[in-house]
Structures are given as structure tokens and as C-alpha cells.
Amino acid sequence: MGLLWTLIVGGVLGWFAGMIIGRDIPGGIIGNIIAGLIGGWLGSILLGSWGPEIGRFFIIPTLIGAIIFVLIVSFILKTLKK
């Protein structure tokens, strides 16, 4: 049950990060889950663990990390399309 909860929270946070910056991560639900998981990892490295926690994710650092990840992925994909 813990893994399922982690995937759900990661997916929601990845989706929310894409909504905040107005860019969609490729891959749909799987892409959102990956963005949330990598965002959680990146956010914890950059900002540490603070703020409210849901499903082993600290919401604020994870959201900021997911936003950074979505921006990087969208920039790389935009560059590759040219």
C-alpha cells in the first residue's frame, strides 16, 4: 500500500507542477509520476525536508523540484525538435 500511495502522490505533484508552469510532461500519467518522483529527489537535495509531508513526500520541496524537472525536460525536448 505504501508504494501505491507514493505513486499516487508523486503523480499528483508532477501533474500539479506541469499545471503551474503551463507545460505538460510527455508520457501522461507515467510522465507525471516520474516527474513527481524525480522532483521529490531533486527538491530534497536542493531544499532539504521541510513543510507538510504526504506519502513520504515533503510537498513544497517536491513541488519545486518537479517544476525544475518539468522545465528542464520541456527545454530539452524543445531543443531536440529544432
Side-chain angles (χ1 to χ4, degrees):
M1 186 67 180
L3 176 63
L4 180 62
W5 185 244
T6 300
L7 294 176
I8 290 170
V9 172
V12 168
L13 289 172
W15 169 77
F16 194 58
M19 294 295 291
I20 287 173
I21 62 171
R23 297 185 181 157
D24 196 19
I25 191 88
I29 294 171
I30 302 297
N32 287 333
I33 291 171
I34 291 171
L37 293 174
I38 293 175
W41 172 76
L42 184 64
S44 69
I45 288 175
L46 296 174
L47 302 171
S49 37
W50 55 276
E53 179 184 10
I54 297 176
R56 298 185 191 166
F57 288 101
F58 290 94
I59 303 299
I60 297 168
T62 298
L63 194 57
I64 293 170
I67 289 171
I68 292 169
F69 179 71
V70 170
L71 285 171
I72 290 170
V73 168
S74 64
F75 176 75
I76 290 171
L77 291 176
K78 184 178 176 183
T79 304
L80 290 176
K81 286 184 179 181
K82 288 184 179 183

